[in-house]
Amino acid sequence: MEWDKDAERLAGRVTDPDSRWRKPVASVPRHELIPRWWEPDGADGWTLQDGAADPGAWREAAYANRSLITRVGPTHADHAMRGDRVEGPPTSSATLPSLVVRMLRHGRLGDGLDTLDLGTGAGGLTAYAAYRLGDRYVTSLDVDPYLTSAAAERLGRLGLHPKFVTADATRDIPGRYDRIVSTVALPPGPGLSPVLRALRVGGRIVTTLARTTLIVTGWKDTSGEVIGQIERDWAGFMLTRSGDDYDNYPPEQAELFALARDANTDGDEISTGRYPVVDVSNAWEVRSMLEVTAPGVELDYREEGDQRTACLVHTDGSWARATADRTHPPTVHQAGPQRLWTTLERIRNRLNSTGGLPLYGAQVRITPDGVCHLSSGRWHAAMGEG
């Protein structure tokens, strides 16, 4: 496949003319890292796309500034057959190049700095970093042995030979690094501690936090704490996994969702909501503040004609359902120890009354136990406690 001009055009779209990442993006044949992928079929499913069967579509997809889903549930596209269709949540992808470049820039990578790419995926970030920094300074880690082995083989064919490690980043990370760039969302608290231990004093980390779009950057000081900020930027990454947990929700949450979605189920409290039903997952700042305020809430949103329905659940047994036509005030059912829709409406009220939320640009202090302390003016919050 003639790909050089396509890669150059992609580099021109996702980097500045003087960017040090322009040449890596223009020099890596991205299509070689994504021979197969899944496309949404519009019916809650995914259909396999085989690059070799349609080189034109392959080139167009690979050199577009878009993410390509490479695994749905436990099924990697490499292991599927032509014509296959699957259902389930995406569990691995080739991240859109502009976001990869943004994360690399936030990481402030430099010559001679040992760099960890946390979340191998299809290997795109690893390839760009290895091309610019050199193989010996780049390590890529993923919990899935197939992802690390496939990326190692494909990058090897491109003449790139960084180190690949298969490990659970929430438990232990071999080695120590000057820079850690995570393209999986890390959970505040104990699951973040191994990542902090792997970062050398004076080193820099860039990551998103689980169930948020918050990009956190910071430097590790001699006390073992990371001091930094929430960037005035955002990204959405899949949650880091521990083993083969491919299900979208654990069984107890799946049962709660079934209960919440049942229109015949009344909650302990029935009321009329103040604000229209929205897809909270795509209202990024609101979604992030919800995770800060009520950690662990999972979301579901559906439209049927003019009717919008949003459901929120929590493993403590709390659930909420809000239903309305278009932008009319919703009927809200809630049950359990938390009133989840009430919490959401308080956040939206703050957003509407002040014009913003105190997240982007907030200061961050991450203690060695993984707890993230956020502050902006008189506002303070902690994520990962308890």
Side-chain angles (χ1 to χ4, degrees):
M1 177 189 294
E2 295 291 333
W3 58 271
D4 303 72
K5 291 183 179 179
D6 296 287
E8 288 177 3
R9 282 192 290 270
L10 176 61
R13 288 195 295 270
V14 304
T15 67
D16 295 327
D18 64 345
S19 172
R20 290 174 292 178
W21 294 109
R22 194 179 190 92
K23 189 172 182 180
V25 176
S27 302
V28 170
R30 188 171 183 248
H31 70 282
E32 294 283 359
L33 306 180
I34 322 162
R36 290 177 162 199
W37 68 99
W38 297 103
E39 288 280 1
D41 62 10
D44 295 328
W46 305 81
T47 301
L48 182 69
Q49 305 296 307
D50 185 346
D54 190 343
W58 188 12
R59 183 172 59 246
E60 181 180 352
Y63 296 100
N65 184 31
R66 55 173 290 205
S67 293
L68 296 178
I69 301 301
T70 53
R71 186 178 58 199
V72 174
T75 308
H76 198 287
D78 291 350
H79 303 144
M81 304 291 291
R82 290 183 187 178
D84 277 359
R85 179 185 181 276
V86 295
E87 294 184 357
T91 51
S92 188
S93 70
T95 303
L96 70 160
S98 62
L99 179 53
V100 171
V101 170
R102 281 162 46 206
M103 296 297 283
L104 289 166
R105 291 178 62 194
H106 284 307
R108 300 188 190 175
L109 279 58
D111 296 340
L113 296 175
D114 292 321
T115 298
L116 175 65
D117 168 20
L118 191 53
T120 301
L125 188 149
T126 306
Y128 295 159
Y131 186 94
R132 179 182 156 194
L133 304 178
D135 297 348
R136 60 175 292 192
Y137 296 109
V138 179
T139 299
S140 186
L141 181 149
D142 203 285
V143 70
D144 190 320
Y146 178 72
L147 296 182
T148 52
S149 64
E153 178 183 347
R154 288 164 183 167
L155 266 65
R157 292 200 296 263
L158 306 180
L160 300 172
H161 301 278
K163 182 179 180 180
F164 285 89
V165 174
T166 301
D168 183 346
T170 65
R171 296 181 180 177
D172 183 56
I173 296 178
R176 296 295 179 265
Y177 304 92
D178 301 302
R179 299 289 187 270
I180 297 178
V181 180
S182 178
T183 52
V184 291
L186 295 172
L192 186 53
S193 294
V195 182
L196 303 182
R197 289 196 297 269
L199 185 65
R200 291 180 177 136
V201 171
R204 181 174 175 84
I205 184 173
V206 51
T207 185
T208 57
L209 299 178
R211 299 183 186 85
T212 79
T213 59
L214 305 177
I215 298 178
V216 174
T217 63
W219 304 89
K220 186 174 181 179
D221 65 18
T222 54
S223 71
E225 295 185 344
V226 168
I227 307 298
Q229 65 179 352
I230 296 174
E231 296 290 339
R232 294 186 182 278
D233 191 4
W234 48 85
F237 288 112
M238 300 173 191
L239 275 63
T240 185
R241 292 191 296 109
S242 296
D244 293 338
D245 52 346
Y246 298 109
D247 291 335
N248 204 7
Y249 306 110
E252 62 273 19
Q253 284 187 334
E255 293 176 5
L256 279 171
F257 268 123
L259 181 68
R261 293 183 189 120
D262 187 350
N264 295 316
T265 301
D266 290 333
D268 300 334
E269 177 183 304
I270 304 173
S271 62
T272 299
R274 180 174 184 180
Y275 300 108
V277 177
V278 296
D279 182 359
V280 181
S281 294
N282 288 311
W284 285 10
E285 191 174 13
V286 172
R287 174 52 176 131
S288 298
M289 194 65 168
L290 180 62
E291 179 62 20
V292 173
T293 307
V297 175
E298 297 288 358
L299 310 168
D300 180 75
Y301 175 80
R302 303 184 181 196
E303 291 186 8
E304 296 182 7
D306 289 337
Q307 188 178 82
R308 302 176 179 180
T309 301
C311 295
L312 289 70
V313 305
H314 192 280
T315 52
D316 67 2
S318 302
W319 64 267
R321 179 180 70 248
T323 304
D325 287 340
R326 298 183 180 178
T327 58
H328 295 170
T331 299
V332 179
H333 295 254
Q334 303 187 81
Q338 298 186 72
R339 293 296 181 255
L340 299 178
W341 195 261
T342 302
T343 299
L344 177 64
E345 291 219 323
R346 288 184 184 132
I347 293 169
R348 296 176 71 181
N349 186 60
R350 180 171 189 166
L351 176 64
N352 290 342
S353 61
T354 66
L357 296 172
L359 287 177
Y360 298 120
Q363 299 301 299
V364 177
R365 178 173 61 89
I366 309 176
T367 48
D369 57 1
V371 176
C372 299
H373 301 269
L374 314 180
S375 61
S376 179
R378 291 184 293 178
W379 176 79
H380 300 271
M383 301 178 68
E385 288 183 322

